[in-house]
Amino acid sequence: MTLDIIIAGGGRVGFETAILLGDRGHDITVIEPDASRCDDIADEYVATIIRGDASDPDILRQADVDGSDVIAGLTGLPGLNLAICMEASELNPEIRTVARIDSRDQEGYGQFVDETVFPEGAGARTAANEIEGSDVRTLADVTGTLDIMEIRVEEGAPAAGKDLRSVRFPAGTLVISDDDGERVARPETTLTPGKRYVIAVEPNVADEVMNLLRG
């Protein structure tokens, strides 16, 4: 499903997250006050760029907060991220909110937003996964660069409905569990659409694995 996503903050985390989500086919709008950062993002052709302060309600309206599915406050200031998400919720009560924090002590922010992310520990890929929703979850912050993800197989994806011995996963991929999470995956394990599987992937092949399972 294609999502309309607003990312507040075009720094390293926001920029990398926008690229990942754009590559996954979502419609991205980035709000960033710094002109040079706006130019850098524009050069990647991955997002609509709005130069301005995302805590300004008029800027949020310009970004079409009313018609967006998700807003992610990914600036380097957790308090600002929280304020942006809360403002967006006032303007669009149906919008999903994700706020970047910079300390595990700030996880209490979760009572005000739908998700918090700690990208210093887990990277932009985890931020992207949280923004997309619960179909992909990563444990990257406890496994270094190796991603261990729970992925739901999409109907119509290249690997959907096939057993593992029939799918040519790239080297650096290991399917760990079957669809009920009670057995280690075997060659005859079928990748059933709508079911979830725990998979370990090396970062350089993660996008290829996502394409096989989610299309």
Side-chain angles (χ1 to χ4, degrees):
M1 180 179 68
T2 299
L3 299 174
D4 291 315
I5 299 167
I6 299 171
I7 293 178
R12 177 185 58 82
V13 173
F15 192 178
E16 292 178 5
T17 302
I19 291 173
L20 283 168
L21 291 168
D23 287 345
R24 295 178 186 178
H26 300 297
D27 293 326
I28 314 300
T29 299
V30 175
I31 303 173
E32 167 57 47
D34 184 88
S36 62
R37 287 181 181 174
C38 289
D39 290 342
D40 289 341
I41 300 168
D43 288 344
E44 293 291 331
Y45 299 102
V46 296
T48 299
I49 313 300
I50 296 176
R51 184 182 174 191
D53 178 359
S55 66
D56 182 339
D58 289 336
I59 294 293
L60 289 177
R61 293 188 183 97
Q62 185 180 338
D64 190 25
V65 68
D66 286 339
S68 296
D69 300 298
V70 188
I71 186 165
L74 300 182
T75 78
L77 301 172
L80 177 59
N81 296 332
L82 180 62
I84 291 167
C85 288
M86 294 178 72
E87 284 185 32
S89 292
E90 284 292 318
L91 295 169
N92 176 5
E94 301 301 317
I95 200 167
R96 188 164 176 273
T97 54
V98 179
R100 174 186 175 183
I101 58 177
D102 62 11
S103 167
R104 294 297 187 193
D105 294 339
Q106 294 167 334
E107 289 184 339
Y109 282 23
Q111 64 185 301
F112 302 108
V113 297
D114 294 310
E115 298 289 347
T116 59
V117 294
F118 181 50
E120 282 70 21
R125 187 176 302 280
T126 296
N129 292 341
E130 292 289 6
I131 289 166
E132 281 188 309
S134 60
D135 289 344
V136 181
R137 303 170 188 148
T138 181
L139 301 179
D141 54 341
V142 294
T143 56
T145 60
L146 182 69
D147 278 343
I148 299 179
M149 301 186 287
E150 183 186 60
I151 303 178
R152 182 170 63 84
V153 178
E154 283 289 330
E155 186 75 48
K162 298 179 180 178
D163 59 36
L164 289 181
R165 61 190 152 211
S166 302
V167 181
R168 298 186 65 180
F169 282 107
T173 308
L174 177 65
V175 180
I176 299 171
S177 78
D178 66 0
D179 61 24
D180 59 13
E182 295 182 358
R183 286 163 44 100
V184 172
R186 292 163 168 75
E188 64 271 19
T189 295
T190 299
L191 297 168
T192 304
K195 298 291 187 178
R196 299 174 183 271
Y197 300 81
V198 177
I199 302 176
V201 296
E202 295 175 4
N204 60 315
V205 298
D207 289 338
E208 186 176 349
V209 172
M210 293 286 286
N211 287 334
L212 283 169
L213 296 172
R214 295 185 55 74

